Amino acid sequence: MNIPDDHTEDLEQAHARWDPIPEPRRREWCQVLLDFPPIWLGTFPMNATQQAVLEGRYTSISDWIDLAKRAEAAGFTPQTWLIFQLELARDEVNREFPRHPARRPTKPGSNGITTTVVDPEEFAEWPRMYEAGLRPSMATRHVLSGEKRL
């Protein structure tokens, strides 16, 4: 994809915001965030991000970069964030726990589509529990119940 020269600097600056996350993991984050975007910016940005990932690149969407960096700082990897999000998507978990992110205000995006806000810092215990050997479902129940496990 050719980028006009006047936009190259902006794109380079946007991609520099990913630091210190290494390039291969940036693409992994984009793959996960395509399924669980922190904000819906519309079909075109989603398709452009998917195309970028298929071409070995990654997004420059600020909200996505911010979430990936915050999640990594909280101890998540793209893979553990995906597992955690899949656990949160289970209907019974949503119904059972008042702390579930789906029960909170959503973030408005393009075309009136809203996004459930999941703050990685709030669930920073989850990756530690998972890495210590707790099943994803049990780690999710612990963090949603507010129990401190480790």
Side-chain angles (χ1 to χ4, degrees), residues 18 22 28 34-35 42 48-49 55 66 96 112 124 128 131:
W18 277 97
E28 291 173 19
L34 281 165
D35 286 326
T49 298
E55 293 172 0
D66 177 59
E96 186 177 342
R128 287 187 275 287
E131 294 300 324

Side-chain angles (χ1 to χ4, degrees), residues 68-76:
K69 289 173 80 170
R70 290 174 41 228
E72 288 225 350
F76 287 96

Side-chain angles (χ1 to χ4, degrees), residues 23-82:
E23 283 200 33
R25 210 159 59 237
R26 296 172 189 184
R27 288 187 297 278
E28 291 173 19
W29 274 111
C30 289
Q31 288 174 308
V32 171
L33 296 176
L34 281 165
D35 286 326
F36 298 100
I39 186 169
W40 178 260
L41 296 176
T43 302
F44 178 75
M46 295 294 283
N47 287 340
T49 298
Q50 182 173 4
Q51 188 62 40
V53 170
L54 291 172
E55 293 172 0
R57 296 177 293 116
Y58 43 89
T59 190
S60 60
I61 300 171
S62 297
D63 288 300
W64 290 35
I65 297 167
D66 177 59
L67 178 67
K69 289 173 80 170
R70 290 174 41 228
E72 288 225 350
F76 287 96
T77 65
Q79 294 77 21
T80 58
W81 186 253
L82 175 62

